[in-house]
Amino acid sequence: MSTADTLMLTISHQYGSGGSQIARDLGSRLQWSVWDKEILRRVATEYQLAETDVEANDERVASFIEKLVDLIGMGGFATAYSILPPRGLDDAKLQQMTRTIIEHIAREGRAIIVNRGGNHILAKRSGTRHVFIFAPLEARIQRVIQLEKLTRSEAERRIVGIDRLRTDYVRTFYHADWRDPTHYHLTVDSAVWGESGTADLILSALQHIPHRR
């Protein structure tokens, strides 16, 4: 089997649907690597090492990372990603570095890519299956309130803001609607099945793919 045929997953998910936790569960069960926040950490590390004159460039466009910092705050960003936000990283550089990292991961397979346009970057890779995890808004609000210890209005604001960021990101770089089911092999409502049940469904679907290991 060639590396292009080695099975792997991309998981796109709505914020508050439990997608990141479901990806971790699947990674543990399958013994696959999971690339979620790790992608941003890698981008930040490689970018800061490779670009030393970034702060001298005054004519840069605000990046999606900066918009995310505006949304969740500097402290929230550092807590979520275990890094300070990379400075001076414009959208085009962010997208290109993300693509390079994801394509490198895909050479080995047996990995799960979470969000970041992974289903579009690996759309032509024969061994990749694409999953979208969603949930009704109220279920997402309640989950974010519980896990992030936010007020209802704060949870609603964060959900709306992150949904908008993901919509803009995929539309800008891949000219697509990230919620369009035609971009996925499987879509699952995690509010119906729960996190463990959703992972069970995805695992069952993988096991029904012929000639994949």
Side-chain angles (χ1 to χ4, degrees):
M1 183 186 297
S2 70
T3 55
D5 290 328
T6 305
L7 193 61
M8 62 182 293
L9 274 174
T10 71
I11 293 180
S12 301
H13 67 90
Q14 293 180 322
Y15 181 70
S17 67
S20 291
Q21 289 71 23
I22 291 164
R24 298 287 174 193
D25 186 5
L26 284 166
S28 177
R29 297 196 206 184
L30 292 165
Q31 296 188 320
W32 288 3
S33 61
V34 179
W35 293 82
D36 185 357
K37 298 172 183 178
E38 293 81 2
I39 293 175
L40 185 55
R41 292 183 190 128
R42 178 73 67 84
V43 167
T45 299
E46 294 190 5
Y47 185 78
Q48 289 167 349
L49 287 174
E51 302 289 339
T52 58
D53 59 350
V54 153
E55 293 186 50
N57 181 5
D58 293 329
E59 295 182 355
R60 60 186 177 82
V61 178
S63 73
F64 285 99
I65 288 178
E66 290 171 319
K67 294 173 187 175
L68 188 58
V69 169
D70 287 341
L71 180 66
I72 67 177
M74 181 73 78
F77 187 100
T79 299
Y81 294 98
S82 302
I83 57 170
L84 291 175
R87 301 182 62 183
L89 185 58
D90 67 30
D91 295 346
K93 290 176 183 176
L94 170 63
Q95 190 268 346
Q96 184 55 51
M97 294 190 74
T98 299
R99 173 181 287 274
T100 298
I101 290 167
I102 290 175
E103 288 175 343
H104 177 78
I105 295 165
R107 294 191 190 107
E108 297 297 325
R110 296 183 176 86
I112 300 172
I113 305 295
V114 182
N115 285 328
R116 295 164 182 85
N119 59 313
H120 297 285
I121 293 170
L122 302 179
K124 295 182 180 180
R125 186 183 184 279
S126 60
T128 307
R129 294 296 178 266
H130 309 296
V131 177
F132 181 69
I133 298 171
F134 65 97
L137 179 58
E138 184 58 31
R140 297 164 64 198
I141 290 171
Q142 292 303 322
R143 190 176 190 283
V144 171
I145 288 173
Q146 180 180 5
L147 293 181
E148 304 294 336
K149 309 303 180 186
L150 302 177
T151 65
R152 183 181 180 89
S153 62
E154 289 170 339
E156 289 175 345
R157 175 178 174 268
R158 186 168 295 184
I159 287 170
V160 169
I162 292 179
D163 278 359
R164 185 181 300 117
L165 281 175
R166 290 176 179 172
T167 298
D168 291 347
Y169 185 87
V170 174
R171 181 180 295 133
T172 297
F173 294 123
Y174 305 108
H175 311 292
D177 181 349
W178 70 294
R179 296 160 297 189
D180 183 349
T182 63
H183 296 304
Y184 305 97
H185 297 110
L186 177 67
T187 64
V188 186
D189 183 344
S190 61
V192 171
W193 301 102
E195 290 183 18
S196 180
T198 298
D200 289 342
L201 284 171
I202 296 169
L203 189 60
S204 177
L206 291 178
Q207 291 171 341
H208 283 82
I209 298 172
H211 310 302
R212 303 289 188 210
R213 295 185 182 274

